[in-house]
């Protein structure tokens, strides 16, 4: 049985006080979520230390949204994987399309980040996904394959066992245009087949989340697909009732 995971990516939203209130609300409702579902919240860096304290002893895990591709030193404005791990966060989102697109994060940079995250005991939630024009030109499978081969396939199988993947078609992120459950299933199965080339049967154990306009209304159908192991939720993760409803959708 693969893990079932629902992770909220808050992106650049909420002040620390608003984040504290949102976590408080999630904690008050988390008992409604079946025990087998892992729940993760990914807050801005500024919230990690208090969030780790607020979540300690609960079943909600904590994630950062990024970390540096350098270990330490003169990199003004950067936050290292070691610093993130020291906050008490257990996960870090890497390879999000917004980082790839707006901050020029290449596959090479993402491999460095992924390695550093793993060396520091953080579990990467590694995002992959094609843009609209890539799907329209029918190269979406090749794009995703390249993203996986450049980073995930460079890891050892022990490292892979710590990684969660998230398929986020860029055209579905924040657009209200969700992938159909068939499109999600087709790509998730393909991702598993790419992993299997290097990792064999271990590919069956990797949790692959879907992200892109996932909502309480569409999550049940998405999560019912055999290769969809949960969701990486943006906008709907900022509303406690919606996020909890999604986590109850398996
Ligand atoms: P939305 O759920 O807002 O479309 O965002 C998805 C996402 O990018 C999660 O990382």
């Amino acid at each position: 049985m693969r893990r079932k995971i629902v992770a909220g990516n808050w992106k650049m939203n909420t002040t620390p006080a608003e984040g504290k209130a949102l976590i408080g609300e999630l904690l008050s409702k988390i008992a409604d979520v079946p025990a087998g579902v892992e729940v993760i919240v990914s807050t801005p860096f500024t919230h990690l230390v208090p969030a780790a304290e607020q979540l300690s002893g609960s079943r909600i895990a904590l994630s950062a949204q990024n970390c540096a591709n350098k270990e330490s030193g003169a990199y003004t404005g950067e936050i290292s994987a070691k610093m993130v791990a020291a906050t008490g966060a257990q996960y870090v989102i890497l390879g999000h399309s917004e980082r790839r697109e707006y901050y020029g994060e290449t596959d090479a940079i993402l491999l460095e980040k992924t390695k550093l995250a793993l060396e520091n005991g953080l579990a990467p939630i590694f995002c992959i996904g094609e843009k609209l024009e890539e799907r329209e030109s029918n190269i979406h499978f090749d794009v995703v394959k390249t993203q996986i081969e450049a980073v995930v396939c460079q890891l050892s199988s022990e490292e892979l066992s710590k990684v969660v993947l998230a398929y986020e078609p860029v055209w579905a992120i924040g657009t209200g245009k969700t992938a159909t459950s068939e499109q999600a299933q087709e790509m998730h199965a393909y991702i598993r087949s790419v992993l299997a080339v290097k990792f064999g049967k271990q590919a069956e154990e990797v949790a692959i989340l879907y992200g892109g306009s996932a909502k309480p209304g569409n999550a049940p159908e998405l999560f019912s697909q055999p290769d969809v192991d949960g969701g990486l939720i943006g906008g709907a993760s900022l509303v406690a009732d919606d996020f909890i409803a999604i986590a109850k959708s398996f």
Side-chain angles (χ1 to χ4, degrees):
M1 266 277 278
R2 275 195 297 270
R3 301 164 68 188
K4 293 182 169 71
I5 302 172
V6 170
N9 176 8
W10 293 6
K11 307 192 180 182
M12 197 172 72
N13 293 295
T14 73
T15 62
E18 289 163 351
K20 185 177 177 191
L22 179 50
I23 288 176
E25 232 186 305
L26 294 174
L27 287 171
S28 74
K29 294 172 177 175
I30 192 68
D32 295 348
V33 177
V37 179
E38 296 177 50
V39 177
I40 303 170
V41 292
S42 188
T43 74
F45 286 131
T46 45
H47 308 17
L48 290 174
V49 169
E53 198 170 309
Q54 196 180 3
L55 292 170
S56 98
S58 83
R59 52 177 280 213
I60 303 180
L62 182 62
S63 176
Q65 298 172 17
N66 187 22
C67 70
N69 65 326
K70 308 285 184 194
E71 220 169 306
S72 68
Y75 301 103
T76 302
E78 288 296 301
I79 308 277
S80 71
K82 187 176 181 179
M83 292 172 190
V84 171
T87 66
Q90 301 94 343
Y91 292 88
V92 58
I93 296 174
L94 292 174
H96 194 283
S97 63
E98 290 151 15
R99 301 291 322 168
R100 293 178 191 262
E101 176 146 349
Y102 307 141
Y103 300 96
E105 295 195 0
T106 60
D107 290 332
I109 290 172
L110 291 171
L111 178 58
E112 293 172 338
K113 291 187 177 204
T114 303
K115 286 277 191 185
L116 282 166
L118 289 163
E119 281 166 23
N120 285 282
L122 292 169
I125 301 173
F126 191 77
C127 306
I128 51 191
E130 82 285 356
K131 297 178 192 165
L132 182 61
E133 60 267 29
E134 293 165 339
R135 181 163 281 263
E136 284 172 345
S137 359
N138 210 27
I139 56 167
H140 46 297
F141 291 114
D142 295 335
V143 168
V144 168
K145 182 175 186 228
T146 302
Q147 291 171 338
I148 296 170
E149 287 179 343
V151 179
V152 185
C153 290
Q154 305 303 313
L155 304 176
S156 68
S157 66
E158 199 194 327
E159 288 172 323
L160 179 71
S161 71
K162 311 279 194 296
V163 175
V164 174
L165 286 182
Y167 169 58
E168 300 205 305
V170 180
W171 46 272
I173 296 177
T175 59
K177 223 178 169 190
T178 322
T180 64
S181 53
E182 291 78 19
Q183 286 171 322
Q185 168 56 29
E186 183 185 39
M187 183 59 88
H188 284 224
Y190 177 73
I191 290 167
R192 231 179 267 296
S193 77
V194 173
L195 292 173
V197 173
K198 160 138 193 202
F199 297 103
K201 277 204 183 107
Q202 193 186 355
E204 288 300 317
E205 293 159 23
V206 178
I208 308 176
L209 315 184
Y210 167 81
S213 299
K215 302 272 181 287
N218 56 33
E221 201 189 325
L222 287 161
F223 295 178
S224 71
Q225 301 302 310
D227 288 289
V228 178
D229 304 311
L232 181 55
I233 317 300
S237 73
L238 296 168
V239 179
D241 283 335
D242 287 354
F243 186 59
I244 294 291
I246 292 170
K248 287 165 66 181
S249 297
F250 289 95

